[in-house]
Amino acid sequence: MFDFAKQFAQADIIVISAPYWDYSFPSCLKVYLENIYVTGIVSEYGPDGMPHGLCKAKKLYYVTTAGGPYLPDFSYDYFKALATTCFGIPRTALIKAEMLDVDGFDAEKIVEQTIRFVGNIEKAETTLP
């Protein structure tokens, strides 16, 4: 019954990939979050009444693309807050390619730069304690 919640809680790394739509993310991703947020599987409430995460992952990557400028307030920041406050995932990273549909910006170059950025994240993480 809670297969997706169990899968999420047991994952070593979480990667969320969603386009930037109307300053947020698609509604189907919100539905997914509502289905995996199961008390006793991804979080529990402590004596202080606050959620404490039960997820195994130590890192959540949020990958997004945007046709114009990207504002993280209602997408990445939302996931970062859930990850650190409710899921117990201590580290998050934003991977974004923005301005892809704006005249004068080279979408291919932007995507290539983003791919290089991801390579640098992976290299940096192998040196972390």
Side-chain angles (χ1 to χ4, degrees):
M1 179 170 181
F2 299 118
D3 291 343
F4 290 128
K6 292 173 186 174
Q7 180 185 41
F8 188 91
Q10 290 303 310
D12 293 323
I13 296 173
I14 305 292
V15 178
I16 303 292
S17 180
Y20 186 56
W21 284 1
D22 299 325
Y23 296 103
S24 188
F25 47 83
S27 61
C28 59
L29 183 52
K30 176 68 170 143
V31 170
Y32 172 78
L33 284 172
E34 290 175 0
N35 282 283
I36 61 125
Y37 199 108
V38 179
T39 303
I41 297 176
V42 299
S43 71
E44 64 185 359
Y45 289 90
D48 59 357
M50 297 301 294
H52 300 278
L54 300 174
C55 293
K56 178 181 172 186
K58 300 295 179 220
K59 184 78 174 197
L60 179 141
Y61 293 97
Y62 187 83
V63 182
T64 192
T65 56
Y70 175 75
L71 303 171
D73 299 4
F74 304 109
S75 55
Y76 171 68
D77 288 349
Y78 179 73
F79 274 90
K80 183 177 181 178
L82 280 175
T84 58
T85 304
C86 301
F87 298 150
I89 302 170
R91 296 175 31 221
T92 64
L94 172 62
I95 300 167
K96 63 179 175 151
E98 62 184 328
M99 307 299 282
L100 298 174
D101 294 333
V102 177
D103 286 337
F105 287 83
D106 184 342
E108 266 187 52
K109 184 177 178 182
I110 293 167
V111 170
E112 288 172 10
Q113 289 171 336
T114 304
I115 291 169
R116 281 195 299 277
F117 173 76
V118 170
N120 290 335
I121 285 176
E122 290 177 2
K123 288 176 193 172
E125 292 203 350
T126 61
T127 63
L128 293 175

